Amino acid sequence: MGGPRERRGADRSRRSRVDRDLSFGDEAAARELIEEIAARSTPLGDALADGVAAAAERFGGTDLVPTVKGMELASYDPRGAATMALAFATGDRGGCHRRAGRSRPRRWPTRGGTPPTRAAVVADEQDRRAGLWCLVGDDFLAESFGAAAAAEWLAALGDERDPDDLRLLGERVWTLTRLFNLREGFDRDDDGLPEALTRNTDEAGKEGEAPGDGLDPDAFEDLLDRYYAYRGWDREGRPTARLLDRLGLADLPDAATPVGSAETIPGFGAADGDDD
């Protein structure tokens, strides 16, 4: 039924946070709510027009709303998929599935793999897509458009590039975006996950059903540390001066942009293969 805002409106109705008869699968009610959001013609529509997080502040239920950086998560539930959870949390604009793709067993280790592998998969995919978008390519092309294919396209236009140049381009773009967010006041807390995801799904944790599948906050914090270490960021998620120098970005941060120190990078890197 509808997009994230309509689904969250129905969820609040089901849990009696708003006095409105909404239920999943009710197409007429969804259309009516969409029109109210567009026109801001009712208190609920007006609140949802500002986003689910803003509506939760107004009507209550912030503990129920899965958002990151104020943006609603896409339709993929990251519980049970650590890489998807990390991708949502570290997205530059919030819980966006387009920044690193949705969870696919072939590409995204979920219950298998090691924490360092998961951190590397997310960071590498974010960089790949950041570079791809510079060429006005669509990430729905997925595997058919990688760095090698992009280099071929550019070569056809007379611009000879090595695939490694394009990987570096993506890393530079992602790092620049991070610096912008840091300057605007974002920090490690903004790379967190909503409380709603620490709870089990309705079907999990019951007798005879699947085991509890709520995200473990401690395990997530460890995974976030590994992601920062892989990227060369410090424990607060700030790119270090050494990284900026390697990427040719050392002269860009202004006085209002915090830069990390190599001494505060989490104490493990991409080569760490522990299974803890």
Side-chain angles (χ1 to χ4, degrees):
M1 177 189 120
R5 298 185 184 191
E6 291 74 44
R7 292 197 301 272
R8 305 309 176 205
D11 192 46
R12 285 196 193 85
S13 174
R14 180 171 64 87
R15 299 179 189 233
S16 301
R17 298 299 177 106
V18 295
D19 184 16
R20 181 69 176 270
D21 183 17
L22 292 171
S23 60
F24 290 101
D26 188 338
E27 180 180 347
R31 288 180 179 275
E32 183 179 355
L33 181 56
I34 290 171
E35 291 178 359
E36 292 174 13
I37 293 172
R40 293 181 178 264
S41 58
T42 64
L44 179 58
D46 182 59
L48 287 172
D50 290 327
V52 169
E57 290 289 341
R58 184 166 169 179
F59 288 98
T62 54
D63 58 321
L64 303 176
V65 174
T67 61
V68 174
K69 301 179 179 73
M71 181 180 185
E72 304 90 342
L73 301 190
S75 59
Y76 314 114
D77 192 324
R79 284 172 287 194
T83 45
M84 193 75 254
L86 183 63
F88 278 148
T90 58
D92 55 349
R93 65 172 183 165
C96 176
H97 67 291
R98 301 296 297 278
R99 291 301 194 254
R102 64 181 176 85
S103 180
R104 299 179 179 88
R106 180 174 63 85
R107 288 182 55 85
W108 296 83
T110 53
R111 298 189 186 282
T114 65
T117 299
R118 295 166 181 161
V121 165
V122 171
D124 289 347
E125 184 69 0
Q126 289 169 337
D127 291 348
R128 187 186 75 85
R129 291 185 178 219
L132 168 65
W133 290 332
C134 290
L135 302 177
V136 199
D138 194 306
D139 56 359
F140 280 119
L141 293 171
E143 287 300 307
S144 64
F145 193 88
E152 290 181 12
W153 282 23
L154 290 172
L157 298 173
D159 187 356
E160 297 290 340
R161 298 283 179 174
D162 187 275
D164 287 338
D165 293 339
L166 297 172
R167 296 186 185 96
L168 181 63
L169 169 65
E171 186 181 5
R172 295 179 81 239
V173 169
W174 194 263
T175 304
L176 274 171
T177 305
R178 183 67 177 190
L179 291 173
F180 176 88
N181 281 354
L182 289 168
R183 189 191 67 188
E184 297 306 305
F186 285 79
D187 58 22
R188 183 187 179 107
D189 289 343
D190 294 293
D191 290 337
L193 289 171
E195 179 186 347
L197 297 181
T198 65
R199 295 189 293 271
N200 295 338
T201 56
D202 290 342
E203 295 75 24
K206 300 178 182 177
E207 185 176 354
E209 300 289 345
D213 59 358
L215 292 173
D216 180 342
D218 292 334
F220 173 77
E221 289 299 319
D222 175 77
L223 185 58
L224 186 59
D225 274 341
R226 294 174 186 274
Y227 171 87
Y228 287 168
Y230 183 82
R231 282 208 170 277
W233 299 356
D234 71 3
R235 288 190 181 276
E236 297 305 314
R238 299 172 298 204
T240 63
R242 184 169 62 190
L243 172 67
L244 298 180
D245 185 63
R246 177 175 69 80
L247 297 177
L249 304 175
D251 295 334
L252 293 182
D254 58 18
T257 306
V259 174
S261 167
E263 287 72 27
T264 58
I265 293 177
F268 34 67
D272 183 354
D274 294 341
D275 285 303
D276 55 350

